[in-house]
Amino acid sequence: QVQLVQSGAEVKKPGASVKISCKASGYTFNNFAIHWVRQAPGHRLEWMGWINAANGKTKYSQKFEARVTITRDTSASTAYMELSSLRSEDTAVYYCARSLQITTATSMGYWGQGTLVTVSS
Amino acid sequence: ETVLTQSPGSLSLSPGERATLSCRANQTISYSFLAWYQQKPGQAPRLLIYGVSSRATGIPDRFSGSGSGTDFTLTITGLEPEDFAVYYCQQYGYLPRTFGQGTTVEIK
């Protein structure tokens, strides 16, 4: 069965960076895109970007483009999301999600368990 | 960006009743690229419906989606205790992908 397992909770100081991992199993990693979505307290789900696991090409939300980097390691079936210049408003649960279908325009069919990132001085 | 507005913000119903949730977009959603997710406290979202009306694997048929253009509906026919949760619509026809603000279905 498809599983996405994320790394554990992080506490960071303002201005620092955080890098979260998302290890996939149960399917051919290269065949599906991985999205990153965050959920801040009291806010709606917010899409940050995606990576084409086959070729490593990325697409970012303009809101995060200057601060986010999504990468992948195909040998480890793992995707990563790094967010830099953290501020208190970045305190949120961060999710990775796999595209439902192989095509680009598709919903998010499988989700990781979420990683809480707390930004506090 | 494509803004999705869900209504109502919350819905108070009893088990067995029918829930009707609305999602309105500020522009036409092309090719039926509209999905619905369910989220329970402390859990990740779960895909219920994609392509406006297709149920994801394992989703019971009491969940149904409909709509076109800018107006979409999720209907839950005969609420079960496990259905009380927050529901989000999401469009995947435009970048950035966007979500509605959610509708909470709570037990009356």
Side-chain angles (χ1 to χ4, degrees):
Chain A
Q1 72 284 18
V2 175
Q3 272 197 306
L4 300 173
V5 179
Q6 298 181 223
S7 49
E10 303 262 11
V11 179
K12 295 292 183 180
K13 292 200 182 304
S17 296
V18 68
K19 189 171 184 177
I20 303 168
S21 66
C22 171
K23 182 166 177 58
S25 61
Y27 71 96
T28 302
F29 181 73
N30 283 15
N31 284 357
F32 298 87
I34 295 285
H35 300 257
W36 289 88
V37 175
R38 80 175 188 181
Q39 188 170 36
H43 286 73
R44 68 181 69 192
L45 294 160
E46 196 170 26
W47 180 79
M48 302 178 71
W50 80 43
I51 186 164
N52 179 320
N55 60 24
K57 287 187 177 179
T58 54
K59 206 79 172 176
Y60 299 129
S61 168
Q62 207 166 3
K63 176 175 178 176
F64 300 101
E65 193 152 27
R67 299 195 294 138
V68 71
T69 305
I70 300 174
T71 56
R72 97 285 190 226
D73 178 349
T74 56
S75 67
S77 298
T78 300
Y80 303 89
M81 189 283 296
E82 184 169 22
L83 188 63
S84 62
S85 303
L86 290 169
R87 33 211 190 227
S88 58
E89 311 89 87
D90 294 318
T91 294
V93 177
Y94 290 77
Y95 294 101
C96 63
R98 199 208 81 176
S99 61
L100 177 66
Q101 295 156 327
I102 292 175
T103 60
T104 304
T106 178
S107 55
M108 299 171 202
Y110 302 89
W111 294 67
Q113 83 276 19
T115 296
L116 175 62
V117 175
T118 303
V119 182
S120 173
S121 53
Chain B
E1 91 178 22
T2 306
V3 177
L4 300 178
T5 303
Q6 293 185 239
S7 61
S10 64
L11 211 45
S12 188
L13 295 167
S14 300
E17 289 194 295
R18 175 190 186 104
T20 303
L21 287 64
S22 174
C23 175
R24 177 164 288 176
N26 68 343
Q27 59 181 319
T28 296
I29 304 297
S30 55
Y31 301 105
S32 301
F33 289 156
L34 193 286
W36 290 92
Y37 300 84
Q38 176 194 69
Q39 188 178 33
K40 297 180 181 178
Q43 295 185 18
R46 175 174 74 141
L47 177 66
L48 297 176
I49 301 284
Y50 64 94
V52 173
S53 60
S54 297
R55 275 186 298 277
T57 302
I59 302 303
D61 59 8
R62 62 180 181 272
F63 291 92
S64 63
S66 62
S68 64
T70 60
D71 290 299
F72 302 90
T73 301
L74 174 69
T75 303
I76 313 170
T77 306
L79 281 163
E80 297 286 344
E82 61 268 27
D83 299 337
F84 292 93
V86 182
Y87 293 83
Y88 296 94
C89 57
Q90 181 236 338
Q91 64 79 23
Y92 49 94
Y94 300 98
L95 289 173
R97 305 295 192 238
T98 52
F99 293 83
Q101 82 279 22
T103 291
T104 301
V105 178
E106 54 191 24
I107 300 177
K108 189 171 183 179

